[in-house]
Amino acid sequence: MIDHEQITTSDDAALHSAGRRRFLSLVGQSGAAVGGLALLSACGSDSSSSNPTPTPTATSTASTEAADITILKFALQLEYLSGQYFSYAATGAGLPASDLTGSGTQGTVKGGALVPFSDPQVAAVAREMARDDRAHVEYLRSLIGGTPTAMPSLNIDSGSTDAFAALAGLAGVTPFNPYASDENFLYGAFILKDVIATAYKGLVPVLGTPGFITGLAGVLGTEAYHAGLIRTLLYQKGFTVIPGKLSAARDSLDGSTTLDKGIAGADNTISNVAPVDGNGITFSRTTGQVLNILLLNKASVTTGGFYPAGVNGTVNTSAANG
Protein backbone atom coordinates (compact mmCIF):
# COMPACT_ATOMS: atom_id res chain seq x y z
CA MET A 1 0.00 0.00 0.00
CA ILE A 2 1.28 3.45 -0.88
CA ASP A 3 2.04 5.84 1.98
CA HIS A 4 0.43 9.18 1.25
CA GLU A 5 1.93 12.50 2.27
CA GLN A 6 0.23 14.17 5.21
CA ILE A 7 0.33 17.97 5.01
CA THR A 8 -0.08 19.83 8.29
CA THR A 9 -1.36 23.37 8.77
CA SER A 10 1.07 24.45 11.50
CA ASP A 11 2.92 26.74 9.12
CA ASP A 12 0.92 28.44 6.39
CA ALA A 13 3.89 28.96 4.09
CA ALA A 14 4.95 25.34 4.45
CA LEU A 15 1.39 24.22 3.71
CA HIS A 16 1.25 26.07 0.41
CA SER A 17 4.76 25.08 -0.61
CA ALA A 18 4.15 21.40 0.13
CA GLY A 19 0.77 21.52 -1.50
CA ARG A 20 2.14 23.05 -4.69
CA ARG A 21 4.94 20.46 -4.81
CA ARG A 22 2.41 17.67 -4.40
CA PHE A 23 0.19 19.17 -7.10
CA LEU A 24 3.14 19.38 -9.49
CA SER A 25 3.83 15.72 -8.79
CA LEU A 26 0.16 14.80 -9.16
CA VAL A 27 -0.23 16.63 -12.45
CA GLY A 28 3.14 15.36 -13.65
CA GLN A 29 1.91 11.81 -13.22
CA SER A 30 -1.17 12.63 -15.27
CA GLY A 31 0.88 14.27 -18.02
CA ALA A 32 -1.20 17.45 -17.83
CA ALA A 33 0.15 20.95 -18.32
CA VAL A 34 -1.06 23.66 -16.00
CA GLY A 35 0.15 26.48 -18.21
CA GLY A 36 1.39 29.65 -16.57
CA LEU A 37 0.00 29.10 -13.08
CA ALA A 38 2.39 30.11 -10.31
CA LEU A 39 2.11 26.97 -8.21
CA LEU A 40 4.78 27.80 -5.65
CA SER A 41 3.74 30.44 -3.15
CA ALA A 42 6.07 33.35 -2.39
CA CYS A 43 6.82 34.12 1.23
CA GLY A 44 8.38 37.21 2.76
CA SER A 45 9.68 38.21 6.17
CA ASP A 46 9.85 41.36 8.25
CA SER A 47 13.48 42.49 8.36
CA SER A 48 12.88 45.61 10.43
CA SER A 49 15.39 45.82 13.34
CA SER A 50 12.81 47.65 15.40
CA ASN A 51 10.62 44.59 15.40
CA PRO A 52 12.77 41.57 16.27
CA THR A 53 9.75 39.25 16.52
CA PRO A 54 9.16 37.56 13.14
CA THR A 55 5.90 38.65 11.56
CA PRO A 56 4.19 36.06 9.30
CA THR A 57 3.37 37.30 5.84
CA ALA A 58 0.62 35.98 3.62
CA THR A 59 1.43 33.71 0.74
CA SER A 60 0.43 34.78 -2.74
CA THR A 61 -3.34 34.45 -2.70
CA ALA A 62 -3.60 34.84 -6.47
CA SER A 63 -1.19 32.02 -7.32
CA THR A 64 -2.62 29.71 -4.68
CA GLU A 65 -6.19 30.24 -5.82
CA ALA A 66 -5.24 29.82 -9.48
CA ALA A 67 -3.76 26.40 -8.78
CA ASP A 68 -6.69 25.48 -6.56
CA ILE A 69 -9.21 26.40 -9.24
CA THR A 70 -7.42 24.04 -11.63
CA ILE A 71 -8.07 21.28 -9.08
CA LEU A 72 -11.72 22.30 -8.67
CA LYS A 73 -12.22 22.25 -12.44
CA PHE A 74 -10.97 18.67 -12.60
CA ALA A 75 -13.31 17.70 -9.76
CA LEU A 76 -16.19 19.28 -11.67
CA GLN A 77 -15.48 17.03 -14.66
CA LEU A 78 -15.90 14.00 -12.38
CA GLU A 79 -19.15 15.32 -10.95
CA TYR A 80 -20.61 15.85 -14.42
CA LEU A 81 -20.08 12.15 -15.12
CA SER A 82 -21.45 10.89 -11.83
CA GLY A 83 -24.28 13.42 -11.83
CA GLN A 84 -25.52 12.42 -15.26
CA TYR A 85 -25.38 8.68 -14.51
CA PHE A 86 -27.36 8.96 -11.28
CA SER A 87 -29.77 11.55 -12.65
CA TYR A 88 -30.74 9.40 -15.63
CA ALA A 89 -30.88 6.22 -13.55
CA ALA A 90 -33.09 7.80 -10.87
CA THR A 91 -35.30 10.12 -12.91
CA GLY A 92 -34.92 9.28 -16.60
CA ALA A 93 -33.58 12.78 -17.32
CA GLY A 94 -30.16 14.40 -17.14
CA LEU A 95 -28.81 17.46 -15.37
CA PRO A 96 -30.41 20.81 -16.27
CA ALA A 97 -28.86 22.67 -19.20
CA SER A 98 -28.01 25.64 -16.96
CA ASP A 99 -25.51 23.46 -15.06
CA LEU A 100 -23.53 22.42 -18.12
CA THR A 101 -22.15 25.61 -19.70
CA GLY A 102 -18.65 27.01 -19.42
CA SER A 103 -15.19 27.10 -20.93
CA GLY A 104 -13.99 24.39 -23.27
CA THR A 105 -16.19 22.44 -25.63
CA GLN A 106 -19.60 21.70 -24.16
CA GLY A 107 -20.53 18.15 -25.04
CA THR A 108 -23.57 15.92 -25.03
CA VAL A 109 -24.53 12.79 -23.16
CA LYS A 110 -24.70 9.51 -25.01
CA GLY A 111 -27.04 7.12 -23.23
CA GLY A 112 -28.71 7.24 -19.86
CA ALA A 113 -32.02 5.62 -18.93
CA LEU A 114 -34.44 5.24 -16.06
CA VAL A 115 -33.73 2.04 -14.13
CA PRO A 116 -36.80 -0.20 -13.55
CA PHE A 117 -36.10 -0.49 -9.82
CA SER A 118 -37.71 -3.37 -7.97
CA ASP A 119 -36.26 -2.55 -4.55
CA PRO A 120 -37.63 0.76 -3.18
CA GLN A 121 -34.53 1.19 -1.00
CA VAL A 122 -32.20 1.05 -3.99
CA ALA A 123 -34.46 3.50 -5.82
CA ALA A 124 -34.37 5.86 -2.84
CA VAL A 125 -30.57 5.66 -2.70
CA ALA A 126 -30.37 6.43 -6.43
CA ARG A 127 -32.58 9.50 -6.00
CA GLU A 128 -30.54 10.76 -3.04
CA MET A 129 -27.24 10.36 -4.88
CA ALA A 130 -28.68 12.05 -7.96
CA ARG A 131 -29.69 15.06 -5.80
CA ASP A 132 -26.30 15.18 -4.08
CA ASP A 133 -24.33 14.95 -7.31
CA ARG A 134 -26.36 17.71 -8.93
CA ALA A 135 -25.70 19.82 -5.84
CA HIS A 136 -21.99 19.03 -6.15
CA VAL A 137 -21.98 20.23 -9.76
CA GLU A 138 -23.65 23.49 -8.80
CA TYR A 139 -21.49 23.95 -5.70
CA LEU A 140 -18.21 23.42 -7.55
CA ARG A 141 -19.32 25.79 -10.31
CA SER A 142 -20.00 28.43 -7.64
CA LEU A 143 -16.62 27.83 -5.96
CA ILE A 144 -14.79 28.19 -9.27
CA GLY A 145 -16.63 31.42 -10.00
CA GLY A 146 -16.38 33.35 -13.23
CA THR A 147 -16.50 30.80 -16.03
CA PRO A 148 -16.37 27.17 -14.87
CA THR A 149 -15.44 24.38 -17.24
CA ALA A 150 -18.30 23.06 -19.34
CA MET A 151 -19.57 19.51 -19.27
CA PRO A 152 -17.61 17.44 -21.80
CA SER A 153 -19.13 14.75 -23.98
CA LEU A 154 -20.02 11.72 -21.87
CA ASN A 155 -20.57 8.10 -22.82
CA ILE A 156 -22.86 6.45 -20.27
CA ASP A 157 -24.75 4.32 -22.78
CA SER A 158 -25.69 0.66 -22.43
CA GLY A 159 -24.44 -0.69 -25.75
CA SER A 160 -21.92 -3.50 -26.00
CA THR A 161 -19.16 -1.13 -27.20
CA ASP A 162 -19.87 1.67 -24.70
CA ALA A 163 -17.83 2.63 -21.63
CA PHE A 164 -19.69 0.71 -18.90
CA ALA A 165 -19.74 -2.45 -21.00
CA ALA A 166 -16.10 -2.02 -21.99
CA LEU A 167 -14.93 -1.81 -18.39
CA ALA A 168 -17.18 -4.70 -17.40
CA GLY A 169 -15.74 -6.60 -20.36
CA LEU A 170 -12.26 -6.24 -18.88
CA ALA A 171 -13.69 -8.03 -15.86
CA GLY A 172 -15.21 -10.77 -18.00
CA VAL A 173 -18.73 -9.53 -17.28
CA THR A 174 -20.65 -9.57 -20.56
CA PRO A 175 -23.11 -8.41 -21.61
CA PHE A 176 -23.59 -5.49 -19.25
CA ASN A 177 -26.33 -2.84 -19.17
CA PRO A 178 -26.15 -0.64 -16.04
CA TYR A 179 -29.80 0.42 -16.43
CA ALA A 180 -31.29 -3.07 -16.74
CA SER A 181 -31.92 -3.84 -13.07
CA ASP A 182 -31.22 -2.88 -9.46
CA GLU A 183 -28.19 -5.18 -9.47
CA ASN A 184 -26.68 -3.75 -12.63
CA PHE A 185 -27.34 -0.19 -11.48
CA LEU A 186 -25.37 -0.93 -8.30
CA TYR A 187 -22.50 -2.33 -10.35
CA GLY A 188 -22.43 0.85 -12.44
CA ALA A 189 -22.51 2.96 -9.29
CA PHE A 190 -19.68 0.86 -7.84
CA ILE A 191 -17.59 1.46 -10.95
CA LEU A 192 -17.87 5.25 -10.64
CA LYS A 193 -18.20 6.05 -6.93
CA ASP A 194 -15.11 4.17 -5.76
CA VAL A 195 -12.97 5.97 -8.33
CA ILE A 196 -14.39 9.39 -7.50
CA ALA A 197 -13.95 8.94 -3.73
CA THR A 198 -10.28 7.99 -4.17
CA ALA A 199 -9.84 10.92 -6.57
CA TYR A 200 -11.02 13.40 -3.93
CA LYS A 201 -8.76 11.73 -1.36
CA GLY A 202 -5.85 12.70 -3.63
CA LEU A 203 -7.09 16.20 -4.44
CA VAL A 204 -7.94 17.65 -1.03
CA PRO A 205 -4.38 17.65 0.43
CA VAL A 206 -2.98 19.73 -2.43
CA LEU A 207 -5.38 22.65 -1.96
CA GLY A 208 -4.05 25.80 -0.33
CA THR A 209 -7.11 28.04 0.05
CA PRO A 210 -8.90 27.38 3.38
CA GLY A 211 -12.38 27.81 1.94
CA PHE A 212 -11.62 25.44 -0.93
CA ILE A 213 -10.11 22.89 1.46
CA THR A 214 -13.25 22.93 3.59
CA GLY A 215 -15.52 22.72 0.57
CA LEU A 216 -13.75 19.88 -1.23
CA ALA A 217 -13.27 17.95 2.02
CA GLY A 218 -17.05 18.15 2.45
CA VAL A 219 -17.61 16.77 -1.04
CA LEU A 220 -15.06 14.03 -0.29
CA GLY A 221 -17.04 13.06 2.81
CA THR A 222 -20.26 12.80 0.81
CA GLU A 223 -18.64 10.75 -1.95
CA ALA A 224 -17.14 8.41 0.65
CA TYR A 225 -20.59 7.92 2.20
CA HIS A 226 -21.99 7.20 -1.27
CA ALA A 227 -19.27 4.70 -2.14
CA GLY A 228 -19.60 2.95 1.23
CA LEU A 229 -23.38 2.71 0.88
CA ILE A 230 -23.12 1.20 -2.60
CA ARG A 231 -20.61 -1.34 -1.32
CA THR A 232 -22.88 -2.12 1.65
CA LEU A 233 -25.94 -2.70 -0.53
CA LEU A 234 -23.98 -5.00 -2.81
CA TYR A 235 -22.68 -6.99 0.16
CA GLN A 236 -26.09 -7.22 1.84
CA LYS A 237 -27.66 -8.52 -1.37
CA GLY A 238 -24.90 -11.09 -1.86
CA PHE A 239 -23.63 -9.45 -5.04
CA THR A 240 -19.95 -9.91 -4.16
CA VAL A 241 -18.35 -11.79 -7.04
CA ILE A 242 -18.77 -9.24 -9.85
CA PRO A 243 -17.56 -6.26 -7.75
CA GLY A 244 -14.37 -8.22 -7.11
CA LYS A 245 -13.91 -8.65 -10.84
CA LEU A 246 -14.70 -4.99 -11.54
CA SER A 247 -12.20 -3.99 -8.86
CA ALA A 248 -9.51 -6.10 -10.52
CA ALA A 249 -10.35 -4.52 -13.88
CA ARG A 250 -9.91 -1.02 -12.47
CA ASP A 251 -6.66 -2.09 -10.85
CA SER A 252 -5.36 -3.38 -14.18
CA LEU A 253 -5.60 0.13 -15.61
CA ASP A 254 -4.18 2.45 -12.94
CA GLY A 255 -0.64 1.19 -12.45
CA SER A 256 1.40 -1.75 -11.22
CA THR A 257 0.62 -1.19 -7.53
CA THR A 258 -2.37 -3.10 -6.21
CA LEU A 259 -4.77 -0.48 -4.84
CA ASP A 260 -8.33 -1.48 -5.58
CA LYS A 261 -10.31 -3.93 -3.45
CA GLY A 262 -13.58 -5.77 -3.80
CA ILE A 263 -16.32 -5.76 -1.18
CA ALA A 264 -15.72 -9.14 0.50
CA GLY A 265 -13.01 -11.59 1.48
CA ALA A 266 -12.31 -14.70 -0.53
CA ASP A 267 -14.98 -16.76 1.25
CA ASN A 268 -17.52 -13.90 1.42
CA THR A 269 -17.76 -14.22 5.22
CA ILE A 270 -15.84 -10.99 5.82
CA SER A 271 -17.10 -7.69 4.44
CA ASN A 272 -14.81 -5.09 2.94
CA VAL A 273 -17.12 -2.09 2.88
CA ALA A 274 -14.20 0.29 3.40
CA PRO A 275 -11.19 -0.48 1.15
CA VAL A 276 -8.43 0.43 3.60
CA ASP A 277 -4.82 -0.42 4.46
CA GLY A 278 -3.49 -1.85 7.73
CA ASN A 279 -3.95 1.53 9.41
CA GLY A 280 -7.61 1.69 8.43
CA ILE A 281 -6.88 4.42 5.86
CA THR A 282 -8.35 4.38 2.38
CA PHE A 283 -6.09 4.99 -0.59
CA SER A 284 -5.73 7.91 -3.01
CA ARG A 285 -5.52 8.05 -6.77
CA THR A 286 -3.68 10.69 -8.77
CA THR A 287 -5.51 12.51 -11.54
CA GLY A 288 -3.60 10.36 -14.02
CA GLN A 289 -4.73 7.14 -12.36
CA VAL A 290 -8.33 8.36 -12.21
CA LEU A 291 -8.24 9.07 -15.94
CA ASN A 292 -6.61 5.70 -16.67
CA ILE A 293 -9.82 4.12 -15.44
CA LEU A 294 -12.33 6.60 -16.82
CA LEU A 295 -10.63 6.79 -20.23
CA LEU A 296 -10.23 2.99 -20.12
CA ASN A 297 -6.57 3.11 -21.04
CA LYS A 298 -3.40 2.39 -19.05
CA ALA A 299 -1.36 4.49 -21.48
CA SER A 300 -1.04 8.28 -21.51
CA VAL A 301 -4.06 9.48 -23.51
CA THR A 302 -6.60 12.29 -23.43
CA THR A 303 -9.75 10.68 -24.85
CA GLY A 304 -11.75 7.50 -24.58
CA GLY A 305 -14.07 5.56 -22.33
CA PHE A 306 -16.54 7.69 -20.42
CA TYR A 307 -15.02 10.87 -21.95
CA PRO A 308 -14.90 10.16 -25.70
CA ALA A 309 -13.66 13.68 -26.52
CA GLY A 310 -11.68 14.13 -23.31
CA VAL A 311 -12.27 16.34 -20.27
CA ASN A 312 -12.27 20.13 -20.24
CA GLY A 313 -9.44 21.82 -18.38
CA THR A 314 -5.66 21.54 -18.22
CA VAL A 315 -5.63 18.39 -16.08
CA ASN A 316 -6.72 16.05 -18.82
CA THR A 317 -4.26 13.20 -19.41
CA SER A 318 -4.05 9.70 -18.03
CA ALA A 319 -0.82 8.30 -16.60
CA ALA A 320 1.64 6.23 -18.62
CA ASN A 321 1.22 2.82 -16.97
CA GLY A 322 2.22 0.61 -19.87
Side-chain angles (χ1 to χ4, degrees), residues 95-184:
L95 297 172
S98 58
D99 288 347
L100 311 180
T101 60
S103 61
T105 301
Q106 182 175 336
T108 58
V109 179
K110 180 186 179 186
L114 179 66
V115 175
F117 293 108
S118 59
D119 185 335
Q121 290 186 331
V122 177
V125 165
R127 289 192 294 269
E128 178 182 0
M129 293 186 182
R131 290 194 302 269
D132 290 347
D133 281 352
R134 175 181 173 181
H136 288 167
V137 167
E138 294 173 352
Y139 177 63
L140 288 172
R141 287 171 64 89
S142 69
L143 275 186
I144 292 167
T147 304
T149 48
M151 184 197 76
S153 288
L154 300 175
N155 180 344
I156 56 171
D157 210 351
S158 56
S160 60
T161 60
D162 293 300
F164 277 115
L167 195 146
L170 292 176
V173 181
T174 56
F176 179 69
N177 175 357
Y179 309 102
S181 64
D182 294 40
E183 181 178 354
N184 281 20

Side-chain angles (χ1 to χ4, degrees), residues 32 68-86 95 99-109 133-134 136-142 144 147-156 192-193 195-197 199-200 203 216 219 223 287 290-291 294-295 302-317:
D68 286 355
I69 287 173
T70 297
I71 298 169
L72 298 179
K73 287 180 176 180
F74 179 75
L76 178 58
Q77 299 295 292
L78 303 180
E79 292 295 343
Y80 284 135
L81 173 61
S82 186
Q84 293 288 23
Y85 174 65
F86 282 94
L95 297 172
D99 288 347
L100 311 180
T101 60
S103 61
T105 301
Q106 182 175 336
T108 58
V109 179
D133 281 352
R134 175 181 173 181
H136 288 167
V137 167
E138 294 173 352
Y139 177 63
L140 288 172
R141 287 171 64 89
S142 69
I144 292 167
T147 304
T149 48
M151 184 197 76
S153 288
L154 300 175
N155 180 344
I156 56 171
L192 295 182
K193 284 295 183 181
V195 176
I196 290 172
Y200 278 109
L203 293 176
L216 215 63
V219 178
E223 294 296 345
T287 59
V290 170
L291 290 175
L294 298 181
L295 300 180
T302 57
T303 63
F306 293 96
Y307 298 102
V311 301
N312 287 318
T314 53
V315 181
N316 55 24
T317 310

